Amino acid sequence: MAQLDTLDLIVLAVLLVGTLAYFTKGTYWGIPKDPYASSYSAANGTKAAKTRNVLEKMDETGKNCVVFYGSQTGTAEDYASRLAKEGSSRFGLKTMVADLEDYDYENLDTFPDDKVAIFVLATYGEGEPTDNAVEFYEFITGEGVSFSGGGGEEEKPLANLKFVAFGLGNNTYEHYNSMVRRVNATLTKLGAVRIGEAGEGDDGAGTMEEDFLAWKEPMWAELAEKVGLEEREAVYEPIFGVSEREDLSPEFNEVYLGEPNKSHLEGSSKGPYNAHNPYIAPIAESREVFTVKDRNCLHMEIDVSGSNLSYQTGDHVAVWPTNAGKEVDRFLNILGLSEKRDMVISVKALDPTARVPFPTPTTYNAAVRYHMEICGAVSRQFVSSLAGFAPDEASKAEMTKLGTDKDYFHEKVSSRYLNIAQVLESVNKSTAWTNVPFSLMIEGIHKIQPRYYSISSSSLVQKDRISITAVVEELRIPGAEHIVKGVTTNYLLALKQKQHGDPDPDPHGLTYDITGPRNKYDGIHVPVHVRHSNFKLPSDPSKPIIMVGPGSGVAPFRGFIQERAAQAKAGEKVGKTVLFYGCRRATEDFLYKDEWDTYAQALGSNFKLITAFSREQAQKIYVQQRLRENGKEINDLLQNQKANFYVCGDAANMAREVNIVLGQIIAEERGLPIEKGEEIVKSMRSSNEYQEDVWS
């Protein structure tokens, strides 16, 4: 046998590698990347940024304006998208929308002076950045921040950066719009030049949308003047291309029917479960906790065993909702899409920086039912953008008036809480709005957001079961024909009805596709994830706590007390545990009425429940009054025993008044001026001795 020389060996090796490569393609290499597998952008149906250098991205795509957003519920992201779209259509800017968490910011000092950055920043919780803005915020406000050029604050490293800023906040919180205020101050301190006023929208006053609209017009005028823009007639330029796929049907395995990502589509869902990838959790138990027929409050036990989902007492659970069938039908009907509801569509970003908000191919029905916030609030700007696609001139005139007349819009739309399909029906119900591009609806309607609920159980007591306490929302509008119904709470009510034997649940006349896409939620399941919170018990259980939680605001305190009762049973020393609870009547809506005695037996004299039943006497009594009545004990616990103070519930009224009353109690009991009492409460907040879990 002839001996192989070196060249022969090399040739054989190359042939062997080539053969292996050919037969393993698609198994070990060359595997198509799943664009929906794990990351935020992936779970939302788009590819993640290829680079974390935003300037490189802008150069690659020919952009001269980037609109960054820090968003928790989707509103800031929506405003960012609207600004980008308006900047492009009205002023010819080459805009891109950017999630703050997708980029690094060390090179902001090289931002060219012929480009503009817009920051749309929501404030979350107690003055904190939203989850996707944390890294940006910590970098830009960090002590001794350093940029690529090495310059510090004294060198004004951001002198070339022109920026615009708008904040979303709620005046019922102490740190109102603190995110935009701090970022604005920091950028300015580092030499950046702000164009226009730093706008602030106030959700607490219910004026967020009008605040935004009032801010943006003078901002555009100043921006146009400073950077030499010329306004032109705005023409609709789609961000997304929607194509109907005759070659696909809903039965095809690659068609998304509501699944949030590819692993769910393939039935191989796996963790980590988070805000981009829900766990389809079985509901182990559900029951009604009100004792009246015209109102509902649900207690649910969600089983997370085997999922690797964990929670700590005081955390939040997110429920991923499904739109009610009635509203899905209304939306598809008014757009003339009812007959095409099961038509498969592909949605493609026409701009390389745009994100398709859900995975495709999908169907009209699935997109509307599972991904679009069709029952959300409607903006005047969106209504105005639809005017040009009205079915006739009279409808166009009415839509134009609604879009331009603030008071008329309030009277006809916002005061009646109409959703977008109801607005179109109110203008012209007899003719379908078939001229409206579906791409415009995708662009103008938020992606449906998970709803967060304070977990009402203790992780120490039941680590594999998460309890939810949720009042089913229903709002009757004076003079309106319809009743506004909560999207998620009515969905949960339908699940509860199904679990209790109703084959066709329809809470308040609503039906839900509760078995989910391809029946993947059958057996009473709900998509969830856990969001960690800073609302926590003291690490030392012997430290006293005072809790104020009327109505469903008692939810986290059930978990707190459940935990302390278990610690007491285990022989641990547990401090004084005081709960102020309020509701209408003890016989109607006293949540967990029978449980408190059980906890009292475990905690003994260390547990005290103080109730306020507002409608059991002529003069209404609320928890604020009960707090004042017990002022001496409250002050003693705070001053001498260093108790922690907690509030959960309505931010606009109850929480604000509790804050005021506590300052008054401290001042009165300690013989101090009222201003000093307020300062002490503020200090308690700063040191985390006063914690809130509130909503508006």
Side-chain angles (χ1 to χ4, degrees), residues 615-653:
R615 302 191 183 182
E616 288 194 349
Q617 59 283 312
Q619 187 73 29
K620 289 183 179 179
I621 296 176
Y622 297 107
V623 288
Q624 299 91 298
Q625 284 107 305
R626 294 298 191 218
L627 197 64
R628 190 184 298 280
E629 290 167 7
N630 291 270
K632 187 174 182 60
E633 181 180 7
I634 296 304
N635 181 63
D636 177 64
L637 287 168
L638 294 173
Q639 187 174 26
N640 301 319
Q641 301 182 49
K642 307 304 178 188
N644 274 15
F645 193 88
Y646 300 88
V647 183
C648 181
D650 164 45
N653 299 303

mmCIF file of all heavy atoms in Angstrom, residues 615-653:
data_model
loop_
_atom_site.group_PDB
_atom_site.id
_atom_site.type_symbol
_atom_site.label_atom_id
_atom_site.label_comp_id
_atom_site.label_asym_id
_atom_site.label_seq_id
_atom_site.Cartn_x
_atom_site.Cartn_y
_atom_site.Cartn_z
ATOM 1 N N ARG A 615 -69.685 52.286 54.770
ATOM 2 C CA ARG A 615 -71.116 52.491 54.533
ATOM 3 C C ARG A 615 -72.018 51.849 55.588
ATOM 4 O O ARG A 615 -73.182 51.595 55.348
ATOM 5 C CB ARG A 615 -71.479 51.974 53.141
ATOM 6 C CG ARG A 615 -70.668 52.671 52.051
ATOM 7 C CD ARG A 615 -71.144 52.407 50.665
ATOM 8 N NE ARG A 615 -70.284 53.042 49.671
ATOM 9 C CZ ARG A 615 -70.485 53.007 48.369
ATOM 10 N NH1 ARG A 615 -71.527 52.357 47.882
ATOM 11 N NH2 ARG A 615 -69.648 53.620 47.538
ATOM 12 N N GLU A 616 -71.481 51.620 56.750
ATOM 13 C CA GLU A 616 -72.294 51.015 57.802
ATOM 14 C C GLU A 616 -72.883 52.061 58.742
ATOM 15 O O GLU A 616 -73.533 51.722 59.724
ATOM 16 C CB GLU A 616 -71.465 49.992 58.591
ATOM 17 C CG GLU A 616 -71.188 48.731 57.784
ATOM 18 C CD GLU A 616 -70.675 47.589 58.645
ATOM 19 O OE1 GLU A 616 -70.343 47.830 59.826
ATOM 20 O OE2 GLU A 616 -70.609 46.458 58.137
ATOM 21 N N GLN A 617 -72.627 53.327 58.456
ATOM 22 C CA GLN A 617 -73.169 54.415 59.256
ATOM 23 C C GLN A 617 -73.404 55.610 58.346
ATOM 24 O O GLN A 617 -72.963 55.614 57.197
ATOM 25 C CB GLN A 617 -72.224 54.785 60.409
ATOM 26 C CG GLN A 617 -70.840 55.211 59.983
ATOM 27 C CD GLN A 617 -69.929 54.068 59.586
ATOM 28 O OE1 GLN A 617 -69.842 53.092 60.319
ATOM 29 N NE2 GLN A 617 -69.314 54.169 58.423
ATOM 30 N N ALA A 618 -74.120 56.597 58.840
ATOM 31 C CA ALA A 618 -74.471 57.755 58.014
ATOM 32 C C ALA A 618 -73.222 58.490 57.540
ATOM 33 O O ALA A 618 -73.122 58.905 56.387
ATOM 34 C CB ALA A 618 -75.379 58.698 58.806
ATOM 35 N N GLN A 619 -72.264 58.656 58.431
ATOM 36 C CA GLN A 619 -71.025 59.349 58.094
ATOM 37 C C GLN A 619 -69.976 58.324 57.666
ATOM 38 O O GLN A 619 -69.646 57.418 58.416
ATOM 39 C CB GLN A 619 -70.511 60.129 59.318
ATOM 40 C CG GLN A 619 -69.314 61.020 59.047
ATOM 41 C CD GLN A 619 -69.669 62.269 58.256
ATOM 42 O OE1 GLN A 619 -70.790 62.754 58.358
ATOM 43 N NE2 GLN A 619 -68.724 62.770 57.487
ATOM 44 N N LYS A 620 -69.485 58.450 56.442
ATOM 45 C CA LYS A 620 -68.514 57.470 55.950
ATOM 46 C C LYS A 620 -67.209 57.545 56.743
ATOM 47 O O LYS A 620 -66.737 58.628 57.089
ATOM 48 C CB LYS A 620 -68.226 57.700 54.466
ATOM 49 C CG LYS A 620 -69.398 57.319 53.568
ATOM 50 C CD LYS A 620 -69.043 57.482 52.101
ATOM 51 C CE LYS A 620 -70.220 57.063 51.225
ATOM 52 N NZ LYS A 620 -69.932 57.236 49.773
ATOM 53 N N ILE A 621 -66.679 56.371 57.018
ATOM 54 C CA ILE A 621 -65.423 56.270 57.762
ATOM 55 C C ILE A 621 -64.411 55.518 56.904
ATOM 56 O O ILE A 621 -64.721 54.457 56.350
ATOM 57 C CB ILE A 621 -65.623 55.536 59.107
ATOM 58 C CG1 ILE A 621 -66.549 56.352 60.018
ATOM 59 C CG2 ILE A 621 -64.281 55.292 59.794
ATOM 60 C CD1 ILE A 621 -66.886 55.669 61.319
ATOM 61 N N TYR A 622 -63.201 56.086 56.817
ATOM 62 C CA TYR A 622 -62.155 55.463 56.023
ATOM 63 C C TYR A 622 -60.931 55.174 56.896
ATOM 64 O O TYR A 622 -60.842 55.613 58.050
ATOM 65 C CB TYR A 622 -61.761 56.376 54.856
ATOM 66 C CG TYR A 622 -62.894 56.632 53.887
ATOM 67 C CD1 TYR A 622 -63.540 57.870 53.849
ATOM 68 C CD2 TYR A 622 -63.327 55.638 53.017
ATOM 69 C CE1 TYR A 622 -64.588 58.107 52.956
ATOM 70 C CE2 TYR A 622 -64.361 55.857 52.118
ATOM 71 C CZ TYR A 622 -64.990 57.088 52.097
ATOM 72 O OH TYR A 622 -66.034 57.311 51.221
ATOM 73 N N VAL A 623 -59.970 54.456 56.321
ATOM 74 C CA VAL A 623 -58.790 54.067 57.104
ATOM 75 C C VAL A 623 -58.021 55.284 57.613
ATOM 76 O O VAL A 623 -57.382 55.207 58.669
ATOM 77 C CB VAL A 623 -57.853 53.154 56.272
ATOM 78 C CG1 VAL A 623 -58.448 51.771 56.100
ATOM 79 C CG2 VAL A 623 -57.510 53.776 54.924
ATOM 80 N N GLN A 624 -58.097 56.402 56.885
ATOM 81 C CA GLN A 624 -57.381 57.592 57.323
ATOM 82 C C GLN A 624 -57.856 58.045 58.704
ATOM 83 O O GLN A 624 -57.045 58.428 59.561
ATOM 84 C CB GLN A 624 -57.587 58.746 56.329
ATOM 85 C CG GLN A 624 -57.094 58.473 54.923
ATOM 86 C CD GLN A 624 -58.155 57.876 54.024
ATOM 87 O OE1 GLN A 624 -58.646 56.783 54.305
ATOM 88 N NE2 GLN A 624 -58.511 58.568 52.941
ATOM 89 N N GLN A 625 -59.212 57.991 58.893
ATOM 90 C CA GLN A 625 -59.753 58.382 60.208
ATOM 91 C C GLN A 625 -59.310 57.427 61.302
ATOM 92 O O GLN A 625 -58.967 57.835 62.413
ATOM 93 C CB GLN A 625 -61.288 58.438 60.169
ATOM 94 C CG GLN A 625 -61.824 59.670 59.453
ATOM 95 C CD GLN A 625 -62.396 59.339 58.094
ATOM 96 O OE1 GLN A 625 -61.716 58.751 57.251
ATOM 97 N NE2 GLN A 625 -63.640 59.713 57.866
ATOM 98 N N ARG A 626 -59.336 56.121 60.978
ATOM 99 C CA ARG A 626 -58.921 55.120 61.972
ATOM 100 C C ARG A 626 -57.449 55.318 62.348
ATOM 101 O O ARG A 626 -57.055 55.126 63.502
ATOM 102 C CB ARG A 626 -59.124 53.708 61.423
ATOM 103 C CG ARG A 626 -60.580 53.333 61.185
ATOM 104 C CD ARG A 626 -61.375 53.344 62.477
ATOM 105 N NE ARG A 626 -62.684 52.754 62.309
ATOM 106 C CZ ARG A 626 -63.788 53.190 62.885
ATOM 107 N NH1 ARG A 626 -63.734 54.253 63.691
ATOM 108 N NH2 ARG A 626 -64.937 52.583 62.702
ATOM 109 N N LEU A 627 -56.653 55.698 61.382
ATOM 110 C CA LEU A 627 -55.238 55.953 61.641
ATOM 111 C C LEU A 627 -55.095 57.100 62.642
ATOM 112 O O LEU A 627 -54.334 57.017 63.611
ATOM 113 C CB LEU A 627 -54.548 56.309 60.314
ATOM 114 C CG LEU A 627 -53.026 56.242 60.241
ATOM 115 C CD1 LEU A 627 -52.535 54.818 60.450
ATOM 116 C CD2 LEU A 627 -52.539 56.758 58.889
ATOM 117 N N ARG A 628 -55.865 58.159 62.400
ATOM 118 C CA ARG A 628 -55.806 59.312 63.297
ATOM 119 C C ARG A 628 -56.277 58.944 64.708
ATOM 120 O O ARG A 628 -55.688 59.375 65.707
ATOM 121 C CB ARG A 628 -56.662 60.441 62.732
ATOM 122 C CG ARG A 628 -56.478 61.765 63.460
ATOM 123 C CD ARG A 628 -57.423 62.830 62.921
ATOM 124 N NE ARG A 628 -57.180 63.119 61.517
ATOM 125 C CZ ARG A 628 -56.214 63.914 61.081
ATOM 126 N NH1 ARG A 628 -55.380 64.478 61.952
ATOM 127 N NH2 ARG A 628 -56.063 64.141 59.798
ATOM 128 N N GLU A 629 -57.346 58.149 64.793
ATOM 129 C CA GLU A 629 -57.886 57.730 66.097
ATOM 130 C C GLU A 629 -56.859 56.945 66.906
ATOM 131 O O GLU A 629 -56.894 56.930 68.137
ATOM 132 C CB GLU A 629 -59.139 56.878 65.898
ATOM 133 C CG GLU A 629 -60.343 57.644 65.380
ATOM 134 C CD GLU A 629 -61.461 56.715 64.909
ATOM 135 O OE1 GLU A 629 -61.343 55.478 65.111
ATOM 136 O OE2 GLU A 629 -62.447 57.206 64.320
ATOM 137 N N ASN A 630 -55.960 56.259 66.203
ATOM 138 C CA ASN A 630 -54.948 55.441 66.880
ATOM 139 C C ASN A 630 -53.574 56.104 66.826
ATOM 140 O O ASN A 630 -52.547 55.427 66.869
ATOM 141 C CB ASN A 630 -54.891 54.060 66.234
ATOM 142 C CG ASN A 630 -56.134 53.236 66.515
ATOM 143 O OD1 ASN A 630 -56.195 52.495 67.503
ATOM 144 N ND2 ASN A 630 -57.140 53.362 65.661
ATOM 145 N N GLY A 631 -53.580 57.426 66.757
ATOM 146 C CA GLY A 631 -52.350 58.180 66.578
ATOM 147 C C GLY A 631 -51.306 57.936 67.653
ATOM 148 O O GLY A 631 -50.111 57.835 67.347
ATOM 149 N N LYS A 632 -51.730 57.852 68.897
ATOM 150 C CA LYS A 632 -50.775 57.676 70.005
ATOM 151 C C LYS A 632 -50.004 56.368 69.850
ATOM 152 O O LYS A 632 -48.770 56.334 69.966
ATOM 153 C CB LYS A 632 -51.512 57.708 71.341
ATOM 154 C CG LYS A 632 -50.604 57.699 72.562
ATOM 155 C CD LYS A 632 -51.404 57.870 73.839
ATOM 156 C CE LYS A 632 -50.492 57.907 75.067
ATOM 157 N NZ LYS A 632 -49.523 59.012 75.026
ATOM 158 N N GLU A 633 -50.741 55.279 69.555
ATOM 159 C CA GLU A 633 -50.083 53.975 69.391
ATOM 160 C C GLU A 633 -49.182 53.968 68.155
ATOM 161 O O GLU A 633 -48.069 53.430 68.183
ATOM 162 C CB GLU A 633 -51.113 52.855 69.284
ATOM 163 C CG GLU A 633 -50.478 51.479 69.134
ATOM 164 C CD GLU A 633 -51.489 50.351 69.017
ATOM 165 O OE1 GLU A 633 -52.709 50.639 68.909
ATOM 166 O OE2 GLU A 633 -51.060 49.171 69.029
ATOM 167 N N ILE A 634 -49.658 54.580 67.076
ATOM 168 C CA ILE A 634 -48.872 54.623 65.839
ATOM 169 C C ILE A 634 -47.551 55.350 66.089
ATOM 170 O O ILE A 634 -46.475 54.880 65.699
ATOM 171 C CB ILE A 634 -49.661 55.332 64.709
ATOM 172 C CG1 ILE A 634 -50.920 54.545 64.352
ATOM 173 C CG2 ILE A 634 -48.787 55.528 63.478
ATOM 174 C CD1 ILE A 634 -50.681 53.117 63.956
ATOM 175 N N ASN A 635 -47.629 56.491 66.732
ATOM 176 C CA ASN A 635 -46.415 57.261 66.998
ATOM 177 C C ASN A 635 -45.461 56.496 67.895
ATOM 178 O O ASN A 635 -44.242 56.518 67.688
ATOM 179 C CB ASN A 635 -46.770 58.599 67.640
ATOM 180 C CG ASN A 635 -45.526 59.439 67.912
ATOM 181 O OD1 ASN A 635 -44.812 59.829 66.991
ATOM 182 N ND2 ASN A 635 -45.245 59.680 69.193
ATOM 183 N N ASP A 636 -45.994 55.807 68.912
ATOM 184 C CA ASP A 636 -45.147 55.028 69.819
ATOM 185 C C ASP A 636 -44.407 53.932 69.053
ATOM 186 O O ASP A 636 -43.209 53.718 69.257
ATOM 187 C CB ASP A 636 -45.998 54.408 70.928
ATOM 188 C CG ASP A 636 -45.161 53.537 71.858
ATOM 189 O OD1 ASP A 636 -44.260 54.088 72.527
ATOM 190 O OD2 ASP A 636 -45.375 52.305 71.871
ATOM 191 N N LEU A 637 -45.129 53.239 68.155
ATOM 192 C CA LEU A 637 -44.505 52.172 67.372
ATOM 193 C C LEU A 637 -43.410 52.730 66.462
ATOM 194 O O LEU A 637 -42.348 52.115 66.297
ATOM 195 C CB LEU A 637 -45.558 51.442 66.530
ATOM 196 C CG LEU A 637 -46.514 50.518 67.293
ATOM 197 C CD1 LEU A 637 -47.672 50.085 66.397
ATOM 198 C CD2 LEU A 637 -45.760 49.283 67.802
ATOM 199 N N LEU A 638 -43.653 53.892 65.887
ATOM 200 C CA LEU A 638 -42.674 54.490 64.982
ATOM 201 C C LEU A 638 -41.478 55.065 65.734
ATOM 202 O O LEU A 638 -40.324 54.846 65.358
ATOM 203 C CB LEU A 638 -43.332 55.595 64.146
ATOM 204 C CG LEU A 638 -44.405 55.161 63.140
ATOM 205 C CD1 LEU A 638 -45.063 56.391 62.519
ATOM 206 C CD2 LEU A 638 -43.815 54.278 62.046
ATOM 207 N N GLN A 639 -41.759 55.808 66.803
ATOM 208 C CA GLN A 639 -40.695 56.543 67.491
ATOM 209 C C GLN A 639 -39.879 55.658 68.423
ATOM 210 O O GLN A 639 -38.640 55.741 68.445
ATOM 211 C CB GLN A 639 -41.298 57.703 68.283
ATOM 212 C CG GLN A 639 -40.253 58.631 68.913
ATOM 213 C CD GLN A 639 -40.886 59.848 69.558
ATOM 214 O OE1 GLN A 639 -42.042 59.810 69.974
ATOM 215 N NE2 GLN A 639 -40.131 60.943 69.634
ATOM 216 N N ASN A 640 -40.554 54.805 69.169
ATOM 217 C CA ASN A 640 -39.868 54.039 70.213
ATOM 218 C C ASN A 640 -39.520 52.612 69.809
ATOM 219 O O ASN A 640 -38.608 52.013 70.376
ATOM 220 C CB ASN A 640 -40.727 54.020 71.490
ATOM 221 C CG ASN A 640 -40.990 55.422 71.997
ATOM 222 O OD1 ASN A 640 -40.095 56.272 71.987
ATOM 223 N ND2 ASN A 640 -42.222 55.690 72.430
ATOM 224 N N GLN A 641 -40.274 52.072 68.849
ATOM 225 C CA GLN A 641 -40.017 50.681 68.454
ATOM 226 C C GLN A 641 -39.540 50.562 67.008
ATOM 227 O O GLN A 641 -39.355 49.457 66.505
ATOM 228 C CB GLN A 641 -41.282 49.842 68.676
ATOM 229 C CG GLN A 641 -41.745 49.850 70.141
ATOM 230 C CD GLN A 641 -42.970 48.965 70.347
ATOM 231 O OE1 GLN A 641 -42.997 47.820 69.908
ATOM 232 N NE2 GLN A 641 -43.990 49.497 71.014
ATOM 233 N N LYS A 642 -39.351 51.715 66.362
ATOM 234 C CA LYS A 642 -38.782 51.770 65.003
ATOM 235 C C LYS A 642 -39.546 50.892 64.009
ATOM 236 O O LYS A 642 -38.958 50.156 63.212
ATOM 237 C CB LYS A 642 -37.294 51.369 65.021
ATOM 238 C CG LYS A 642 -36.445 52.154 66.007
ATOM 239 C CD LYS A 642 -36.547 53.657 65.765
ATOM 240 C CE LYS A 642 -35.726 54.454 66.783
ATOM 241 N NZ LYS A 642 -35.971 55.914 66.680
ATOM 242 N N ALA A 643 -40.871 51.011 64.046
ATOM 243 C CA ALA A 643 -41.714 50.221 63.145
ATOM 244 C C ALA A 643 -41.554 50.671 61.703
ATOM 245 O O ALA A 643 -41.246 51.836 61.429
ATOM 246 C CB ALA A 643 -43.179 50.345 63.574
ATOM 247 N N ASN A 644 -41.809 49.755 60.787
ATOM 248 C CA ASN A 644 -41.929 50.086 59.368
ATOM 249 C C ASN A 644 -43.387 50.381 59.051
ATOM 250 O O ASN A 644 -44.290 49.770 59.633
ATOM 251 C CB ASN A 644 -41.449 48.924 58.485
ATOM 252 C CG ASN A 644 -39.952 48.950 58.252
ATOM 253 O OD1 ASN A 644 -39.208 49.652 58.935
ATOM 254 N ND2 ASN A 644 -39.496 48.167 57.287
ATOM 255 N N PHE A 645 -43.601 51.282 58.091
ATOM 256 C CA PHE A 645 -44.953 51.711 57.735
ATOM 257 C C PHE A 645 -45.192 51.394 56.259
ATOM 258 O O PHE A 645 -44.373 51.727 55.402
ATOM 259 C CB PHE A 645 -45.093 53.218 57.985
ATOM 260 C CG PHE A 645 -46.499 53.739 57.951
ATOM 261 C CD1 PHE A 645 -47.287 53.751 59.094
ATOM 262 C CD2 PHE A 645 -47.045 54.228 56.770
ATOM 263 C CE1 PHE A 645 -48.585 54.242 59.064
ATOM 264 C CE2 PHE A 645 -48.338 54.719 56.729
ATOM 265 C CZ PHE A 645 -49.117 54.727 57.891
ATOM 266 N N TYR A 646 -46.332 50.748 55.957
ATOM 267 C CA TYR A 646 -46.632 50.307 54.599
ATOM 268 C C TYR A 646 -48.022 50.781 54.173
ATOM 269 O O TYR A 646 -48.960 50.767 54.973
ATOM 270 C CB TYR A 646 -46.613 48.776 54.499
ATOM 271 C CG TYR A 646 -45.299 48.133 54.865
ATOM 272 C CD1 TYR A 646 -45.020 47.784 56.192
ATOM 273 C CD2 TYR A 646 -44.346 47.855 53.896
ATOM 274 C CE1 TYR A 646 -43.812 47.186 56.531
ATOM 275 C CE2 TYR A 646 -43.141 47.249 54.226
ATOM 276 C CZ TYR A 646 -42.880 46.920 55.544
ATOM 277 O OH TYR A 646 -41.689 46.326 55.871
ATOM 278 N N VAL A 647 -48.128 51.151 52.887
ATOM 279 C CA VAL A 647 -49.423 51.542 52.322
ATOM 280 C C VAL A 647 -49.593 50.827 50.983
ATOM 281 O O VAL A 647 -48.667 50.790 50.167
ATOM 282 C CB VAL A 647 -49.508 53.071 52.087
ATOM 283 C CG1 VAL A 647 -50.895 53.461 51.567
ATOM 284 C CG2 VAL A 647 -49.185 53.824 53.362
ATOM 285 N N CYS A 648 -50.778 50.277 50.757
ATOM 286 C CA CYS A 648 -51.062 49.662 49.461
ATOM 287 C C CYS A 648 -52.487 50.017 49.047
ATOM 288 O O CYS A 648 -53.419 49.920 49.851
ATOM 289 C CB CYS A 648 -50.910 48.141 49.529
ATOM 290 S SG CYS A 648 -51.219 47.328 47.938
ATOM 291 N N GLY A 649 -52.651 50.437 47.783
ATOM 292 C CA GLY A 649 -53.982 50.754 47.269
ATOM 293 C C GLY A 649 -53.974 51.972 46.369
ATOM 294 O O GLY A 649 -53.005 52.238 45.662
ATOM 295 N N ASP A 650 -55.034 52.722 46.434
ATOM 296 C CA ASP A 650 -55.268 53.874 45.564
ATOM 297 C C ASP A 650 -54.293 55.009 45.859
ATOM 298 O O ASP A 650 -54.233 55.525 46.974
ATOM 299 C CB ASP A 650 -56.720 54.338 45.772
ATOM 300 C CG ASP A 650 -56.964 55.728 45.235
ATOM 301 O OD1 ASP A 650 -56.509 56.008 44.118
ATOM 302 O OD2 ASP A 650 -57.619 56.526 45.930
ATOM 303 N N ALA A 651 -53.539 55.408 44.835
ATOM 304 C CA ALA A 651 -52.524 56.452 45.018
ATOM 305 C C ALA A 651 -53.131 57.842 45.099
ATOM 306 O O ALA A 651 -52.668 58.692 45.859
ATOM 307 C CB ALA A 651 -51.513 56.390 43.871
ATOM 308 N N ALA A 652 -54.165 58.081 44.278
ATOM 309 C CA ALA A 652 -54.676 59.443 44.112
ATOM 310 C C ALA A 652 -55.316 59.994 45.378
ATOM 311 O O ALA A 652 -55.153 61.174 45.692
ATOM 312 C CB ALA A 652 -55.678 59.474 42.964
ATOM 313 N N ASN A 653 -56.038 59.167 46.100
ATOM 314 C CA ASN A 653 -56.765 59.667 47.269
ATOM 315 C C ASN A 653 -56.257 59.065 48.575
ATOM 316 O O ASN A 653 -55.657 59.753 49.393
ATOM 317 C CB ASN A 653 -58.263 59.387 47.098
ATOM 318 C CG ASN A 653 -58.831 60.077 45.870
ATOM 319 O OD1 ASN A 653 -58.739 61.293 45.742
ATOM 320 N ND2 ASN A 653 -59.399 59.313 44.951
#
